[in-house]
Amino acid sequence: MRVIITGGTGLVGRALAASLVSDGHEVVALSRTPERFGKALGGVRLAGWDGRTAEGWGGLVDGSDAIINLAGETIGARWTAERKSRILESRVNAGQAVVQAVEQASVKPQVVVQASGVGYYGPRGGTKLTEDEPAG
């Protein structure tokens, strides 16, 4: 199975990519700065993207089995109003780029997974939350 992971060089993306490769899958990790990683992601093919469009990588989607979108501005800094805006914009743009790539593909992926809910529910300690819970 060929899986494309946007944000594939991030914390979650690297772990997921490694797991998929160890299970025998072909993995393409998209990164805005793939040159920073060289061969550090053993067995994972790195490809560059701008995080906003399908330009330069969209052709990789054709015939892929899945796309997992984990891309977005890093959250590891103080959340100023400007930072929050960049975080939101980065996730919206990444999602739109994935949609654009899927629309352009002749052979579309079987599944697209979008994950970007960090912080939505606010600090709740160890409380188990469902999608029915209000935003924090």
Side-chain angles (χ1 to χ4, degrees), residues 8-121:
T9 56
L11 179 68
V12 175
R14 283 191 310 255
L16 177 60
S19 178
L20 288 167
V21 166
S22 73
D23 288 343
H25 301 290
E26 176 188 354
V27 177
V28 178
L30 300 183
S31 173
R32 289 173 289 157
T33 57
E35 65 282 351
R36 281 184 39 205
F37 296 91
K39 300 209 185 269
L41 299 175
V44 176
R45 177 179 168 194
L46 288 170
W49 80 318
D50 63 10
R52 297 183 317 273
T53 68
E55 187 174 322
W57 69 275
L60 297 171
V61 173
D62 206 4
S64 291
D65 298 287
I67 300 176
I68 301 170
N69 184 9
L70 303 174
E73 178 82 20
T74 185
I75 60 166
R78 188 160 187 246
W79 283 37
T80 63
E82 178 186 343
R83 183 118 181 123
K84 288 183 214 178
S85 177
R86 286 197 325 256
I87 290 169
L88 176 62
E89 183 178 304
S90 70
R91 281 151 177 78
V92 170
N93 288 342
Q96 290 173 338
V98 169
V99 168
Q100 182 183 36
V102 170
E103 286 175 341
Q104 292 173 0
S106 298
V107 179
K108 309 216 184 287
Q110 297 171 19
V111 66
V112 174
V113 177
Q114 169 86 22
S116 61
V118 67
Y120 177 78
Y121 297 106

